[in-house]
Amino acid sequence: MVNKLREAMIKHELDMLVVVSSDEHLNEYLPAQSWRLKASTANADSTGFTGSAGTAIFCVEGRHQLFVDSRYHLQAEQTCSDHFDIHKLGNEGVLEPQKWLAAQSQKTLKIGADPFVMSPKVWQCYEKSLGKFGHTLLKTIPNIVDTVWVNRPDPPKKEIYPLALKYTGKDSECKLQDIRMELSKAGTSDESKPDVLLLTMLDEIAWLTNLRGSDIEYNPVFEAYAAVFSDRAICFCHHPEANLSEYCPAWEFRPYAEYLSFLEELAEQETVKVWLDPLRITMGTRLAFTATQVFEKE
């Protein structure tokens, strides 16, 4: 895949491409279709980097780079050192990926990254570091790895099921009421109060809906996005037809693939205000809205 990535980068006029281990829900542990870091670092002699956290930087010119924390120093060396320089984060003098990029001073660089797999906080950290030296961070949508990934697995779309009240302690409607109370209290005036809370983290959505799944091995979650308004709540998931409203009457269930068009429609409402947590939402979601439409709070 490395050669195909380089060809795609040249087509997009990029000097470098950042590939992170997280997915569209900022997960550390992933469903198979989101193993982009593993797929992109694989070659004929290796299955690629299989750790749960890491960052690769692919370069049109020169050696590719792989940054890993102390859990994966040895694994990265054993599986990827033939084609990548291994940066063992935590060791003295080893720079973080954005600082390594910023230090490349031979020329100003165009660096691509997918904003739908980074939080705003991480994205802005890259932008700040790169901007100081004249480099440019460009959003690459769709994800370039996806465009060259042959036989990429399909999403699992496994069964979604309810968790009994004796385990959750509170029904979903009560939890929504609590969220709406926070929405009504947020902001300093009627004009700045958020109209909707957007969620992309799977554990948050599982907790709020009292639903569970198994789209990720050993994690009781299902792939979904959620939007909570003062008068309605929408869950975008793979099984909207599965009569989930029987368990969650306070929710409207829509197809997972409709989330992006929903963002576009929401953003067209110029006066809408969306509540986004900069640590737990994707930068792709953030970029759908203007600065005046965003109420940003952790």
Side-chain angles (χ1 to χ4, degrees), residues 96-116:
E96 295 176 337
Q98 72 276 12
K99 293 180 180 179
W100 181 88
L101 283 167
Q104 306 310 301
S105 58
Q106 64 274 24
K107 65 174 183 177
T108 55
L109 301 171
K110 292 182 178 179
I111 300 157
D114 180 0
F116 278 99

Side-chain angles (χ1 to χ4, degrees), residues 22-43:
S22 57
D23 67 357
E24 289 82 351
H25 304 280
L26 305 181
N27 289 315
E28 181 173 355
Y29 302 101
L30 311 173
Q33 85 276 6
S34 298
W35 290 345
R36 297 181 177 100
L37 186 57
K38 176 184 176 183
S40 61
T41 55
N43 57 67

Side-chain angles (χ1 to χ4, degrees), residues 77-129:
E77 194 73 48
Q78 292 175 338
T79 59
C80 299
S81 60
D82 287 348
H83 300 278
F84 291 81
D85 289 340
I86 309 301
H87 299 257
K88 299 178 179 179
L89 297 171
N91 287 356
E92 186 176 355
V94 176
L95 299 177
E96 295 176 337
Q98 72 276 12
K99 293 180 180 179
W100 181 88
L101 283 167
Q104 306 310 301
S105 58
Q106 64 274 24
K107 65 174 183 177
T108 55
L109 301 171
K110 292 182 178 179
I111 300 157
D114 180 0
F116 278 99
V117 295
M118 289 184 180
S119 70
K121 196 147 190 175
V122 170
W123 183 272
Q124 289 158 7
C125 184
Y126 273 83
E127 279 191 323
K128 184 177 180 180
S129 293

Side-chain angles (χ1 to χ4, degrees), residues 244-255:
L244 297 173
S245 294
E246 177 183 342
Y247 312 111
C248 299
W251 286 85
E252 172 190 345
F253 292 91
R254 291 170 56 176

Side-chain angles (χ1 to χ4, degrees), residues 133-158:
F133 295 88
H135 304 317
T136 305
L137 182 63
L138 301 172
K139 56 182 184 293
T140 52
I141 304 171
N143 191 293
I144 290 182
V145 175
D146 296 350
T147 66
V148 300
W149 189 350
V150 178
N151 298 322
R152 183 187 177 200
D154 293 325
K157 302 181 182 181
K158 295 183 179 179

Side-chain angles (χ1 to χ4, degrees), residues 193-212:
K193 289 184 184 300
D195 302 294
V196 55
L197 172 69
L198 297 182
L199 302 173
T200 60
M201 298 289 285
L202 303 187
D203 56 344
E204 294 179 340
I205 297 170
W207 176 84
L208 188 55
T209 59
N210 286 345
L211 297 173
R212 298 293 186 270

